Amino acid sequence: MAAGFSLRRSQPVPALNLTVEEYEHDSGARHFHLANDCDENVFMVAVRTVPGDSRGVAHILEHTALCGSEKFPVRDPFFTMIRRSLNTFMNAFTTSDCTAYPFASQNRKDYFNLMEVYLDAVFFSRLDPLDFAQEGHRVEFESPGDPSSPLVFKGVVYNEMKGDSSSPISRLYHAVQAELYPTSTYHFNSGGDPRDIPDLSYEELLQFYRTHYHPSNAVFMTFGDISAVDQQEKIAEFGLNRLKPSEVPEIRVKSEQRFQEPVSAETHYPVDDEDLSGKTHIVLAWLLGLNTDLKMLLKGHLLTDVLLDTSASPLRHALEKTDLAAGVSPLCGFEEDHREMNFMVGVEGSESRHAQAVETLILETLARVVEEGVPLERLEAVLHQLELSQREIGGDGMPYGLQLIFGCMSAAIHRGDPIALLDIDQVLAELREEIREPGFVSALIQELLLDNPHRVRVVMGPSQTYAQELLQEEQRKLDTLKASMSVAERQQVVDQAEALTRRQDAVENLEVLPKVSALDIPASKHFPEVQVSDDRGPALCSMAAGTNGLSYHQVVRPLSQLSAEHMELLPIYTQIVTEVGSAGRDYMETQQLQHSYTGGISCFAALRSDLVDNQQFSGYMTFSSRTLNPKSADMLKLVAETSGSARFDEPARIRELIQRLALSRTSNIASNGHQFAMLAASRRFRAVTALSDHLSGIPGIIRLQRLADALDDSEACGHLADRFRALHLLLSYPAPNILLISDDEHLPV
């Protein structure tokens, strides 16, 4: 026993080249250590947070806990440590049923520095009332020192969730969850509904902290080459040894009460457009089984991939081809993070009057798949995708170890077996045998969907008045509150605003926080060796790496001199070139081959400023894919065919792809407004940012929408196909460079 931790079990996971060790602390805390030889160590402490309303208590507490602690009483230790650290990842987030605080570092001293700050923040947060006002919500006078001016709501979380609620897809998601989970915590918006956030009191925040932020309700997860014993000694020193035993109720998500028959609901979202036609979302959702059941979880993934993964999948194909809507809903798919999982499918760009017809289309398509079945090779391709996702070592957006932790943390939060979610080879082997049974998928669809009465249909239509109604409701609350205030209470609002300003302006002693210095950084670092060969055609760059049995290929070409017309077409080309046919095949056959041999093929163009003259730039285009090693040759052939001989002679497919892309990019403007604003603001500084804004910013979306609107004309659609063929020919001309990364034995000799 180390530092109060007892080893419960240790299990190797050969497919991931690691061993998972499970420990239990005297306090009831659990620690799962993913031990391997990776020097990028990852730490996460998570607490189960199960709110019973939409006032955002868990989200506000996440923010407030990071505003100073017992040992580090500074205003913002979290962001200050970003500048005093060598971290490769730092963040905190609130989900529907837990709050997690993860970080990663490749430096041992830095790693334990961050651990000390994080554990002090989680278990010894000072939770100052001013931090609650700053991060959560407060009222201020429009002129902070003038009590005669109007009241306004303020607060970081309050404003963040107002932004979130402006996204139609976010509103739709919360509406579906509220209907699908009427009695459990998922019914509520854990981030907080702006209409409810102002009702949360500071005292209620403190009570939630006392009952939820305790070791008995905590899960520690670590990854890397620092031993579990070394980690536990620090966890105990920085946190657990300083805490007194406390009797707190067990926190868990209760099971949902199951429907006896499907239900329907309607809601709306605000729009500014005068034309409301073609702006309705229609989604069906089913409640499934527990996410702690590994086989059920994998069956859910298999079912989703069979029905929805590509344009060749039967349910996606039906929804893409229907005249009832403009496209498939972004919410389509399988959600495994909730204790009881769910499956969603639907459309966007429809009309409310089509709701029953869309539901009938979905159910009839499912019934047809049940009757006709699914070819065995299609099911084998789906299991190939599952194995590929299990083995893949990511890292583009976050450390690989953190991806593994995220993949199994839900089971730990719900007191299941996270090790089982990492070691899936045995269950995959069982599924490979089960799919050979006739009617396997048909029985699955019948059981989980067609015979499942716990189904909801949510119709979300546009409203020109809803935004104004929300503003009026908010104003009435503020007017009523101000009218009820005494002179003393109004002065308290003025005083609080002044106190917040003084607090923000105060100079703090940041030296109480740990840091690393230049002496703590190694003088050198080993990088894998890259082999370059160009004696047999295109230049081949290959690199050996531990890839868990995967091969990665990229075909990279420099961008030739393109006309302004071709350059404007480039961002659309890169989005659709992997979705059309290739090498004489139509798009459906190509999609099926991609699913069988690859983890998907992507295409992107990148522009880079010159190192000497920032007004000059160059560009390149990349086709990228990955697969399991035995299918590497098939994948490389398919990538080469896509990059060299894509087909642009299926006008209906091109029209469908562009209209879907236009709908998606337009609907995402609200949630990505800050990125568009930054791009527009930077356009005057460099030629490359000016071009990026023109191609991918708001001007590019406007052109895309106009292009999509014009494609109902068959002549215009044919002309566009000709333009794509001409651009494809130009882009195919420069000799490519090929990049290959794989295990050493799978590299060319």
Side-chain angles (χ1 to χ4, degrees), residues 199-232:
D199 296 333
L200 179 70
S201 71
Y202 173 66
E203 290 71 25
E204 288 169 323
L205 181 90
L206 292 180
Q207 180 60 25
F208 194 87
Y209 178 74
R210 295 187 191 104
T211 55
H212 288 72
Y213 277 55
H214 186 271
S216 65
N217 190 43
V219 175
F220 297 92
M221 304 192 81
T222 55
F223 167 93
D225 62 1
I226 299 177
S227 72
V229 172
D230 289 349
Q231 308 248 18
Q232 290 162 3

Side-chain angles (χ1 to χ4, degrees), residues 696-709:
S696 303
I698 296 298
I701 294 178
I702 293 173
R703 287 194 308 277
L704 175 61
Q705 187 62 62
R706 289 173 179 167
L707 180 63
D709 292 341

Side-chain angles (χ1 to χ4, degrees), residues 61-100:
L61 184 52
E62 172 218 320
H63 280 243
T64 314
L66 297 173
C67 291
S69 60
E70 181 181 294
K71 192 169 183 180
F72 305 109
V74 297
R75 184 171 57 250
D76 199 349
F78 181 78
F79 284 102
T80 303
M81 282 303 295
I82 292 177
R83 301 189 297 270
R84 303 169 68 90
S85 165
L86 299 172
N87 74 86
T88 55
F89 186 92
M90 282 181 68
N91 209 340
F93 60 89
T94 302
T95 72
S96 298
D97 48 35
C98 77
T99 302

Side-chain angles (χ1 to χ4, degrees), residues 155-193:
V156 173
V157 170
Y158 177 79
N159 287 325
E160 179 183 326
M161 296 312 296
K162 285 197 80 170
D164 178 76
S165 65
S166 70
S167 165
I169 300 306
S170 178
R171 294 186 65 85
L172 178 61
Y173 173 80
H174 291 302
V176 172
Q177 300 302 297
E179 296 297 330
L180 196 62
Y181 298 91
T183 66
S184 67
T185 190
Y186 307 119
H187 177 77
F188 306 105
N189 185 339
S190 62
D193 187 318

